[in-house]
Amino acid sequence: MSSDAVKKRKPKVIRNEEGTPETKRGRAEGEQSVEMEERRRQCSVHFITLKKLNRLAHMRLKKGRDQTHEAKQRVDVLHLQLQNLLYEVMHLQKEINKCLEFKSQHEEIELVSEEEFFQEAPAEISRPHVTRDDHHQLTLARLDWELEQRKRLAEQYKMSLARKEKIHKAIEQKREYLSSLQPGLQNIMQASLPVQECLSMPFEQMQKQAEVARHLPPPLYVLLVQAAAYGQACDKTLSASISGDVDEAKALSRPPEDSQDDESDSDAEEEQQNTKRRRATVGVQLDDKRKEMLRRHPLSLCVDLKCKDGSVLHLFFYYLMNLNILTVKTKVSTTTDLSGAVSAGELLNSESLLNCLYASDHGQETPNPTNRYQFDKVGITTFADYVSDLGHPYVWVQKLGGLQFSSDGAQVCVLMGSALSASHMERTMKLLQGRLQARLALHKQFSSLEHSIIPVSGECQHLFPAKVVSGLTLVPVEQELGFVQHVLKAGLLRETDLFFMAVVERGTARLLAAVVVNPRYPEVMPLFSLSLHWKGERSGRTEDNLRAMESEVNVFRAELQGPRPGFQLLTNQIQRLCVCLDVYLEMESQVCDGSEGPKEFPREKMCLRTARGPSRLKPFKYNHPQGFFSHR
Amino acid sequence: MGPVELLHMSVFSQSFSPCGRFLAAGNNYGEIAVFSLSAALSPDASEGSQKPILNFTAHDGPVFTLLSTDTHLLSAGNGEISAWSWAELIKKSTKAAWTRKPSYETSLEIPEINAMIINPKDNSLIVGGGDNNIHIMDMETGIFKSVLKGHTDYIHCLCFKEREGEILSGGEDGAVRIWDSRTNRPVHCIEVFRYEECARPQFGKWISCLATDSDWMLCGGGPSLSLWHLRSMSPTSVFPLPGCQREAVFHQDLIMSVGEGPYVSHCLHGGTVKAQIPCTPSSLNTLALNLKNTEHRVMTVGGSSHQIDVFTNFSYRAFSLSF
């Protein structure tokens, strides 16, 4: 084919060659045919050589390809082998790593240290001659030893367990025995009660009290302990006891899980009920909340203070749980009947008996500042409304219960709890007894004053002259008297003070004295304000002599107090008032020019001068035992 | 001093210091309190500046009269006269410069001293009190050189007429006696209660206040306060004041007097009462005018109260100092 192609080409070329030189045809035709033959021959030779070359080339190519293919094959085989080997190497390495990382269980077992092992283990296990060199053997030996030890200990453990069981049983038996003993002991105690009473050793009672005391809230408990301790140590007449419902108290301190279950049940019930029933009004709800806030602990403490004359002051202490304050109510019981003094009804009134035991301790407001916020929530404006019901929250009551509120901020008290209670106990008890005795003494004095007898005790007779003519009547008073205004202005009058009016009369003269008695009598002197109705009305404000009489009665405490504890103060003051009135009336008649008839009050008192000083004061000071009057 | 004692305190006497910046006051408990007027009158005065800068017990009995000389404050207690240096008092030292007692005849009761005045001519102190006599003491030597006897009851007040050198004394017996200071002899005796215009028998006859201004004399007490012309020895005007007057002074054209009743009375020479200025104490014992110092020209009154009223303008009460 190719030769054909070559042949075709050649003729083309020839044709072309022939074509062009058309002019030359004639001459070159002969030459051309030889040349053409030559050229044809050459061409064919060339063709043949070309073919041969082509063949050769093909053959060479093929050979080359074969060789390459073979080499490739060889390389592939080798490559495969290499990969296999590599894979195997990797596998082996992994295995090696695995082996290396292998932690045998035996390593987790804590073995004794080698030195210990060699010391303790018997020779057949430890085999030192082998194990010292061979680590593997050593480990094996140690494991063996470990195993043996553990077996031994397991044995011991089993034995101990068995022993423990036995002992348990023995304990159980003994316990049963003891519990069977309990009722027997109770019987004995019951039987011994009469014996205790005979011998006056109330152990049973004290035990019962201690049992109940466990359910007391902490402040009442502190109070009980301190009061009992004080009673034992200092004042045998003091007694403390607990009253109230113990079961309720126990209910209050029940563990919360039980009550929570109960609550959830009861809540569910309540909800069902509520959907059927109308909800209570807001007012009733608020009321309930208030009642809840002011709830008292079911247990209360009763402390009895006895005085020498047999009268008893009963103090009932209550604990308000939500407000965390203590309150107190009082009662007085006396051996003699106390009726008969109309004006003195206020004196032993349980509401006001303990007012101002310490200065300015009125007991109308709660001393706990947090209560303010609690009250706001339920709409209580003042605690004073509930005081008559719940008792008075005096500050000294809180202190006795160990409750300290930082209300004033002035004094920082370091003591808390029992120490606080103990530090105040003695003083408070003494004040309480003093208060009761003072009030009882006042009461007695009042009942005799109402009968116009001034009971001046023997020790104080020396303060007064033998003859006093003015007579007294005592009247309970209404407030708002004109001549008391100056005392009000001086700030010496308080809400808690008691008011009385004494009327001293002699002849046509009438002296009205308004008496202000502070609840802390006799520590604080009663104040007298005078108004005289005799030939006109004069008062301590308009007349210097009446003012001098007031000062004579109000100022000289040391003279008028009498023997300690000073219960004679008021009667002495009244007696002195009568004496001063006598002096005034008698001297007054002297001073004026006696142009009208006989004098109403003849002069009976002895004195050196009737007037002295720029204000011409009369002699009101009585000198004993000379018995004459002089000026201060 | 508790509140009850304060309630029953009475101020009996006052005296201004020579410089006029301090006021001393004496009360019935025998205490003398010194107040700083400059502090109380200053624009930034507070509650504390109305309290005394010094308060001490000077005598046993009440301090009925105080008197200031150029350097000292003289105070009188029960039968004794003490002198305190003003300079020391301002420095708060309470040591008396001297204490002297006039000689008294009776020893049963020590008489009080109600009035003291100074005779500038011969520098002597004239003292009158409860023993019905007037004692004259020489200030330099301290010796009581003479005693004027004549009153039959105790002496309330004393007064001195500089021009004639005469001492006037008023007493409980209702007589005003005039004595010559050089010869120590009585010159006149006026029994005020005998004159119908002045007499008030419902009160009594005692004379408790005296004041003179050249020929004029004021006297009052039980009888009404009246203005007398001394040359004719007769009362020219009688003042219709309801209470008994305890102290009266002449000031410019006015007569100011205090006594029973919580007010200061301003009266004119003619006999009319021009004004009655109310004040705190319910009755007044003493009135003092501070004329020595023009800055602190005040009038102070004290009486049955622990407060002393201060009048900066004499027509109304400005504030009160209190013990």
Side-chain angles (χ1 to χ4, degrees), chain A residues 37 50 94 97 216 331 340 342 383 442 487 549 593 598 601:
Chain A
E37 284 294 332
L50 210 64
K94 273 195 197 159
N97 278 338
L216 280 175
K331 201 171 79 116
V342 174
F383 190 66
L442 254 189
V487 178
M549 278 164 70
D593 272 338
F601 303 107

Side-chain angles (χ1 to χ4, degrees), chain A residues 541 544 547 609 612-613 616, chain B residues 9-10 78 112 246 282:
Chain A
R541 312 282 67 67
D544 281 325
R547 191 156 178 260
R609 284 170 65 178
R612 187 180 192 259
R616 305 175 62 249
Chain B
M9 187 185 286
S10 298
N78 269 357
E112 78 282 16
R246 302 241 177 93
S282 53

Side-chain angles (χ1 to χ4, degrees), chain B residues 254-267:
Chain B
L254 286 178
I255 291 164
M256 294 199 259
S257 92
V258 293
E260 282 177 5
Y263 41 80
V264 178
S265 310
H266 291 214
C267 311

Side-chain angles (χ1 to χ4, degrees), chain A residues 486-487 490 492 527 541 544 547 550-551 554-555 591-593 608-609 611-616 630-632, chain B residues 3-4 7-10 12 64 78 108-112 114 130 154 156 172 202 206 246 282-283 304-305:
Chain A
H486 66 290
V487 178
L492 291 166
L527 271 183
R541 312 282 67 67
D544 281 325
R547 191 156 178 260
E550 280 179 2
S551 100
N554 286 338
V555 174
V591 171
C592 285
D593 272 338
L608 295 166
R609 284 170 65 178
R612 187 180 192 259
S615 37
R616 305 175 62 249
S630 61
H631 292 82
R632 283 210 183 261
Chain B
V4 180
L7 198 63
H8 294 282
M9 187 185 286
S10 298
F12 282 113
F64 285 132
N78 269 357
L108 199 56
E109 197 183 351
I110 305 174
E112 78 282 16
N114 282 326
Y154 73 95
H156 272 275
E172 179 75 10
Q202 72 272 26
W206 76 91
R246 302 241 177 93
S282 53
S283 69
S304 318
S305 160

Side-chain angles (χ1 to χ4, degrees), chain B residues 131-134 148-155 169-177 179:
Chain B
D131 65 336
N132 310 350
N133 299 330
I134 301 172
L148 306 175
K149 296 190 198 204
H151 278 279
T152 51
D153 210 337
Y154 73 95
I155 295 169
S169 61
E172 179 75 10
D173 55 2
V176 173
R177 287 178 189 271
W179 316 76

